[in-house]
Amino acid sequence: MRVCLQRVRRARVTLPSEPQPNELQPDESQPTVAGAIESGLLILLGVTHGDTDREATFLAKKCCELRIFEDEAGKMNRSLLDIGGAMLVVSQFTLYADCRKGRRPSFTEAAPPDEADRLYRIFVEAVRKQGVTVATGVFRNEMHVELVNDGPVTIWLDTK
């Protein structure tokens, strides 16, 4: 299981608008917001073959407890739990893209959708059990992710 974790001032996930009859372009003025947070973490979560419930729970706890927020002295010494921040979790199978051959990524390392969705939900529930407010994207849906990265702080976590 992989996570690309970003400390954010705010983040949101929207669903693209569908074009209406006789309309060439979708109406981008009022996108449907699937999930949004203020200060906290944006989590892009990828699942691979063989990942387990235990790994999903471990990684959720790790993300909540990772001390990457500044304390009064400006040191990264506080966790998401310490600051009372929120988390936006977006499923991201492309974290398992294999680009070693050719110019087109292979996604064979990504878990099948049913298993990935199950572990994604376990991850989200494990975060909620930590007392964190969680927003999510929509699994297996095209989404637009907007964020204001704070720092910037971007960290890669992998259970393997």
Side-chain angles (χ1 to χ4, degrees), residues 102-138:
R103 295 175 295 193
R104 187 170 176 216
S106 168
F107 300 106
T108 59
E109 292 302 311
D114 289 345
E115 182 63 6
D117 184 31
R118 188 182 75 74
L119 290 168
Y120 169 77
R121 292 174 189 276
I122 288 171
F123 179 94
V124 168
E125 187 55 33
V127 172
R128 284 192 175 117
K129 286 181 180 176
Q130 295 281 316
V132 174
T133 299
V134 181
T136 65
V138 178

Side-chain angles (χ1 to χ4, degrees), residues 31-103:
T32 302
V33 177
I37 63 167
E38 291 301 319
S39 182
L41 297 176
L42 169 63
I43 302 290
L44 303 177
L45 176 70
V47 179
T48 191
H49 306 279
D51 282 342
T52 65
D53 297 14
R54 184 174 182 218
E55 288 169 313
T57 302
F58 167 81
L59 204 51
K61 190 172 192 283
K62 182 77 163 181
C63 290
C64 291
E65 295 177 352
L66 201 60
R67 294 175 14 188
I68 59 169
F69 293 90
E70 293 180 358
D71 63 14
E72 299 76 23
K75 303 279 186 200
M76 281 192 201
N77 203 23
R78 301 181 78 202
S79 72
L80 185 67
L81 299 172
D82 295 330
I83 68 156
M87 188 182 288
L88 175 58
V89 184
V90 178
S91 175
Q92 188 81 36
F93 77 94
T94 59
L95 290 179
Y96 279 99
D98 182 351
C99 300
R100 291 176 290 181
K101 295 180 183 176
R103 295 175 295 193

